[in-house]
Amino acid sequence: MTVLDDHIQAAQERYLAELMDLLRIPSVSADPRYKADVQRCAGAVGQRLTEAGLDAVEVIATAGHPIVYGEKIVDPAKPTVLVYGHYDVQPADPLELWTSPPFEPVVRDGRIYARGSADDKGQFYMHVKAVEAMLHHGGLPCNVKFMIEGEEEVGSVNLGPFVRANKERLRADVVLISDTAMLANDVPSINTGLRGLSYLEVEVTGPDRDLHSGVYGGAVTNPINALCEMIAGLHDADRRITIPGFYDAVRELSAAERQALAEAPFDEAAYMRDLTIGAVHGEKGYSTPERSSIRPTLDVNGIWGGYIGEGAKTVLPSKAYAKISMRLVPDQRSADITRLFQEHFVRMAPPGVTVVVRPHHGGEAVVTPITSEAYRAASMAMEETFGKRPIPTRGGGSIPIVALFEAELGLKTVLFGFGLDSDKIHSPDEHYGVFNYMMGIRTIPRFFHHYAALMNGKA
Ligand code: BES
Ligand code: MN
Ligand code: MN
């Protein structure tokens, strides 16, 4: 591996420059104004795959944003790794809170600052460079397929149909994804679980027009007041969610499993300092790491209505809105939870308002095995480059496609993430460490070699 390491080290500046070029393309999937940029980014990713030496590269149109595919089949008898990632990014606003513009990447203090640097351009591009390096120095020990999509941040709605229609093309032995975080640069870890998601929007309607809040206030239900009371009623004093049936399917962890999770280092004081909060708060009976990974949640993501312009306007609004997400755990099913919410929320409406709940996207929670060849290969690879065996941890975010790969292709995933929770993904000043980027590029070839060797031993 040392020849390869030297080659990778020598190419650092080029790897960085190439990533910065990708980061300059504002591939914001949620906002239709960026549609042409998303398209352009897909083309750029396809070109990078070709330049890296991959075959059968294709930018595949969908009903939404394109999917980029490429492969290198060195020997059909050898195992195949399917690398998944996403080239789309979250919207960059609020723009004024960025130290430097989100789509003008810069390296500051050893970090690449740009929207998408850690989530997920910097992370999927490590695989492109790692495969390129292997192809130039000794070849690939097994086959690889790349599928890089452009709709992860908006729920991967068109990926399901694509996967179902392309089972043969996507045939593989394992899925490898770098789109999660480690505990710290000196505490490597591998995510062994992700939460599911149920996302919806609610609309509360009172009178058919905005009213004078003096003439009518007190006599007519105010939709914003009503929405706030309804939302407040969704948690009890123990911060448990009050939707009937919400916890019915939740798979509780055994004491041994919770004990194992508690062994991962966690500094609550540093956590609070980082977030500038004076206290942590959440479901009674669970620790902060548990609340943010193995427990289901309900959060308001946005709330609006009435007058929000300059100064004061005395108005009793006609409508109020909120966007609400629920993070789910095994074995809660997204469609079931969405329905439970919908039924409950409509029932909660006080007299004088009507409520409409509109489901957005969803996804299922996953737990990945730690005994598979692929997990062991990932663990060995990280142990070699970091000098420490990675700790298995459960993540709180969602990558809905992971459950889909299992259901449709029968494939397990290794969540081989090299980011940090402090990378500020989805926030202003998102960044990715140059150290993390280069460690990923050095560690991925080791995964391929260990994986091929372990699978060979099995055959
Ligand atoms: N890469 C994240 C998911 C993630 C982040 C997992 C950190 C674990 C740790 C992904 O891009 C993401 O943001 N997913 C969305 C879900 C999607 C349906 C919008 C999420 O988790 O909110
Ligand atoms: Mn991501
Ligand atoms: Mn994301």
Side-chain angles (χ1 to χ4, degrees):
M1 279 290 156
T2 56
V3 176
L4 196 59
D5 283 340
D6 291 347
H7 167 81
I8 288 168
Q9 196 51 54
Q12 174 169 325
E13 290 311 310
R14 178 171 65 84
Y15 292 164
L16 279 172
E18 288 179 12
L19 173 58
M20 311 254 273
D21 280 342
L22 273 187
L23 291 169
R24 267 182 210 104
I25 308 177
S27 48
V28 179
S29 51
D31 187 340
R33 286 175 297 178
Y34 292 95
K35 193 173 186 334
D37 293 304
V38 179
Q39 185 84 32
R40 184 157 59 90
C41 193
V45 171
Q47 197 183 333
R48 301 306 181 77
L49 292 183
T50 303
E51 286 164 5
L54 290 157
D55 301 325
V57 173
E58 210 184 318
V59 175
I60 302 150
T62 72
H65 301 303
I67 295 164
V68 187
Y69 180 82
E71 63 181 34
K72 191 79 190 177
I73 308 299
V74 291
D75 177 353
K78 290 190 170 158
T80 301
V81 177
L82 175 59
V83 175
Y84 163 86
H86 62 94
Y87 67 83
D88 67 320
V89 302
Q90 285 277 325
D93 27 340
L95 289 178
E96 65 278 11
L97 296 185
W98 286 76
T99 306
S100 53
F103 299 108
E104 294 172 29
V106 287
V107 175
R108 264 199 318 272
D109 308 325
R111 299 158 170 168
I112 312 149
Y113 282 84
R115 170 59 84 231
S117 53
D119 185 14
D120 177 43
K121 287 173 176 169
Q123 295 222 58
F124 88 72
Y125 204 61
M126 301 182 310
H127 292 264
V128 182
K129 294 299 99 177
V131 166
E132 177 191 77
M134 284 188 279
L135 286 170
H136 283 116
H137 295 269
L140 281 175
C142 59
N143 307 311
V144 66
K145 295 177 175 177
F146 278 85
M147 182 172 72
I148 313 296
E149 73 150 318
E151 298 192 310
E152 197 277 341
E153 300 291 8
V154 288
S156 302
V157 280
N158 293 296
L159 198 64
F162 176 80
V163 168
R164 274 186 282 277
N166 287 272
K167 289 191 177 175
E168 184 50 39
R169 171 159 30 181
L170 299 174
R171 195 164 65 186
D173 296 276
V174 70
V175 180
L176 189 60
I177 303 177
S178 295
D179 194 22
T180 51
M182 311 181 293
L183 290 171
N185 280 348
D186 58 355
V187 191
S189 61
I190 298 177
N191 260 203
T192 58
L194 292 168
R195 287 194 282 194
L197 181 67
S198 167
Y199 199 109
L200 36 85
E201 198 167 311
V202 301
E203 176 180 348
V204 179
T205 305
D208 71 345
R209 59 187 183 275
D210 288 2
L211 304 175
H212 189 291
S213 65
V215 176
Y216 293 96
V220 174
T221 306
N222 178 323
I224 301 184
N225 292 12
L227 176 59
C228 291
E229 279 166 31
M230 290 163 72
I231 288 170
L234 292 172
H235 286 93
D236 68 13
D238 293 335
R239 297 306 294 169
R240 278 176 71 87
I241 293 153
T242 55
I243 300 169
F246 184 83
Y247 291 96
D248 284 1
V250 170
R251 200 196 304 166
E252 301 288 340
L253 267 67
S254 67
E257 285 174 304
R258 289 181 70 182
Q259 179 56 40
L261 287 179
E263 274 159 28
F266 177 71
D267 181 343
E268 193 147 275
Y271 182 87
M272 293 196 292
R273 254 195 324 275
D274 175 49
L275 301 177
T276 65
I277 52 174
V280 293
H281 189 50
E283 188 183 355
K284 193 176 168 187
Y286 294 92
S287 68
T288 297
E290 287 176 333
R291 288 168 177 167
S292 58
S293 66
I294 59 159
R295 298 300 296 167
T297 62
L298 184 152
D299 277 289
V300 180
N301 296 255
I303 183 163
W304 70 102
Y307 182 70
I308 53 166
E310 283 294 313
K313 178 187 178 194
T314 46
V315 63
L316 192 163
S318 165
K319 284 180 184 289
Y321 302 85
K323 291 182 193 278
I324 294 174
S325 68
M326 290 169 280
R327 296 285 169 171
L328 311 177
V329 301
D331 294 313
Q332 289 178 301
R333 287 187 49 236
S334 175
D336 295 344
I337 296 297
T338 298
R339 187 176 40 77
L340 290 178
F341 178 96
Q342 202 159 8
E343 288 167 4
H344 182 61
F345 209 66
V346 168
R347 268 197 312 264
M348 284 177 95
V353 295
T354 54
V355 171
V356 178
V357 178
R358 294 190 187 91
H360 279 276
H361 49 263
E364 309 303 337
V366 286
V367 177
T368 63
I370 57 167
T371 49
S372 65
E373 284 83 8
Y375 183 88
R376 280 157 49 211
S379 179
M380 288 182 336
M382 274 190 143
E383 186 168 357
E384 283 169 27
T385 50
F386 286 85
K388 281 182 195 169
R389 179 167 303 174
I391 302 170
T393 56
R394 294 274 292 263
S398 307
I399 308 178
I401 190 66
V402 175
L404 204 100
F405 284 139
E406 191 160 341
E408 297 297 335
L409 303 175
L411 294 181
K412 298 283 186 193
T413 292
V414 173
L415 296 162
F416 211 22
F418 291 84
L420 297 174
D421 279 341
S422 55
D423 287 341
K424 302 194 174 168
I425 65 170
H426 296 205
S427 300
D429 281 348
E430 175 177 354
H431 57 266
Y432 191 41
V434 174
F435 169 84
N436 303 69
Y437 183 53
M438 294 304 292
M439 272 305 237
I441 301 173
R442 287 176 52 202
T443 308
I444 290 163
R446 289 177 164 84
F447 167 84
F448 275 80
H449 284 279
H450 287 305
Y451 182 62
L454 287 171
M455 291 297 278
N456 192 26
K458 201 179 101 167

